[in-house]
Amino acid sequence: MRHFILGLGCGLLLTLSACSNQAVATRSPVTRPDTAQSTINPAWLSTAAAQQALADGKLSSEQLVRYYLQQIASNNNSGHQLAAISDINPDALTQARQLDAERHAGKVRSALHGLPVVLKANIATLDSMPTTAGALALQGHLTPADAQLVSQLRAAGAIILAKANLSEWANFRGENSASGWSALGGQVRNPHLLSHSPCGSSSGSAVAVAADLTLLAVGTETDGSIICPSAINGIVGIKPSRAAVSGEGIIPIASAQDIAGPMARTVYGAAILLDAMLSPQAKKQFIQPLSTAALQASTASKVLLVRAYDTQDPALPPMLDKLAAMLTAAGIEVVSTDEWQLPPELYQAELKVLVYEFKRDLEQWLRDYQVPAERDTLAELVAFNQAMGEAALGFFGQEYLQQAAVINLESDKASYQQALNQSRQLAEAALDRYLKQQGFDAIILPSYGPAWPIDHVNGDAFNFGTSTAAAVAGYPSVTVPAGFSGILPLGISLVGLPWAEPELLALATLLEQRLAAYRQPGFVKELNN
């Protein structure tokens, strides 16, 4: 089985150094400087604690941004060398001061007002930060518009702090890649064990949250790119229902499956961020903010617990035993199953869909967001990479770019449509068997196995992953920390029917509180044998 973990001017060191200095030195001429000393330590704040500190005047947004800029300066290219951040927004401090001034004047735009957010580097922004997907071919590319979700975040009062490194082209460039590596950003590292993979493709987004380089982050997923890095780095990630978040402006793989979603250290934090990202269609589905739903008592009465992976890691059986006992104690019926096997035809059809839509959707984005004409087709990107050699390709190839480049959108359309229908039918059938036919409120699965050593020869060495059914069907999935394999985090995923986010988030909060499995990373360099 081929396993996908897909998402959606100067060198990295120079970019970060220059942007850090510029950001720290920036002064806004239109707002009063905040000279008050913080009365609360901003380190490892939860979103709720940050909100309360801002509301109480014990912390300003400027102080919060300064803290994260210092964290990035200390541990992104220096210190632990996490390589999670690709570009810093030089206007972040100015934005923070403006939002502090609004709060001081009694204007609070939303629950997200004044909170820093990191965006994955495949999300377009109308500012001085390039949108590159980590690819040398897009180095320094400035887009003519914000992605729709970015416009919404700005309107809600979020501070766009930085952009995050990622698996190049959201891990749809070639085979034998290593998650979290890009030509522009280098190799992202897992803060729990620095020699190990951060998973991907939203690697930098997850690591930035996990390592306290930001409060919140946005990732993108095609199949696993939010769920896997969130689980493997020990944080919360939400892969929303299809169409719950606009994909406009995000460098695509395939619109059939692409979706952006929030990443945070708590369920509430992820819900706050998702509230500000929701499409008009999604807002019509929910009768209250998702952050409100996340704090309410779970109404789940029966869940399916998948035990098919218990033999994959010795930490899984006791972790899931504890989970089952906790749910039972909470009055929720737990039905366990050892069966969870998706048909191989699903993976085959999924790949055909992704390759076809990559050709169609990426070339449209390259034109719409004004990439130079000599690099605005897949064939030209392939040729650019071949010409640049190792500087562009590093240690693996570009097979997916090459496969997509030769797609004929007209003659291949019928087989593509057949594959799209087949993949969705198979994925929906696997989930509906339990969620519709047997009436389960949620399916709970271990998200992924533990992180594996970073390997730039053989590429990723996944243990197992369970993201595909929800990714292809377009059903929502939430991953929360559930335990550890040694020092490596393990997450569990909650999957429900489309637009079941409120119920899933309430259940996720219950698990978060009862399991108490979140742990700050130890930044261990390597295991001693």
Side-chain angles (χ1 to χ4, degrees), residues 115-187:
L115 298 182
V117 178
V118 164
L119 304 175
K120 190 175 180 180
N122 62 347
I123 301 173
T125 53
L126 181 57
D127 53 29
S128 61
M129 290 187 292
T131 303
T132 65
L136 186 64
L138 297 187
Q139 184 175 29
H141 179 63
L142 301 179
T143 57
D146 277 335
Q148 176 58 39
L149 73 87
V150 177
S151 296
Q152 292 175 216
L153 291 176
R154 294 193 200 277
I159 300 165
I160 307 304
L161 178 69
K163 284 194 175 177
N165 193 11
L166 71 165
S167 307
E168 187 177 313
W169 290 115
N171 206 29
F172 206 61
R173 197 196 80 189
E175 298 175 352
N176 299 320
S177 63
S179 290
W181 182 90
S182 71
L184 293 181
Q187 178 65 59

Side-chain angles (χ1 to χ4, degrees), residues 245-325:
V245 177
S246 171
E248 176 61 38
I250 301 173
I251 296 177
I253 292 178
S255 59
Q257 293 177 210
D258 291 349
I259 190 85
M263 306 167 93
R265 290 189 288 274
T266 63
V267 174
Y268 175 77
I272 283 284
L273 184 52
L274 183 54
D275 274 331
M277 297 166 59
L278 292 174
S279 66
Q281 179 182 354
K283 291 177 182 178
K284 294 178 182 178
Q285 301 290 333
F286 306 134
I287 61 174
Q288 62 184 348
L290 294 176
S291 52
T292 300
L295 298 178
Q296 295 182 339
S298 173
T299 59
S301 61
K302 183 172 72 168
V303 299
L304 180 75
L305 179 60
V306 175
R307 305 294 301 257
Y309 302 94
D310 278 20
T311 60
Q312 298 297 309
D313 190 277
L316 287 172
M319 182 185 87
L320 296 180
D321 287 345
K322 178 182 178 181
L323 172 66

Side-chain angles (χ1 to χ4, degrees), residues 207-245:
V207 170
V209 169
D212 202 30
L213 307 186
T214 185
L215 185 68
L216 302 166
V218 177
T220 67
E221 172 159 330
T222 306
D223 185 346
S225 282
I226 292 172
I227 297 301
C228 185
S230 295
I232 275 184
N233 290 284
I235 63 169
V236 176
I238 303 174
K239 198 286 293 183
S241 299
R242 180 181 293 120
V245 177

Side-chain angles (χ1 to χ4, degrees), residues 367-380:
R367 292 189 295 270
D368 290 347
Y369 285 84
Q370 300 178 8
V371 171
E374 64 270 19
R375 294 193 298 278
D376 69 355
T377 69
L378 273 156
E380 289 167 333

Side-chain angles (χ1 to χ4, degrees), residues 57-75:
K58 296 179 179 179
L59 182 68
S60 70
S61 293
E62 180 182 352
Q63 290 162 342
L64 198 54
V65 167
R66 285 189 182 278
Y67 167 74
Y68 289 125
L69 290 176
Q70 181 56 54
Q71 285 288 95
I72 293 168
S74 297
N75 286 311

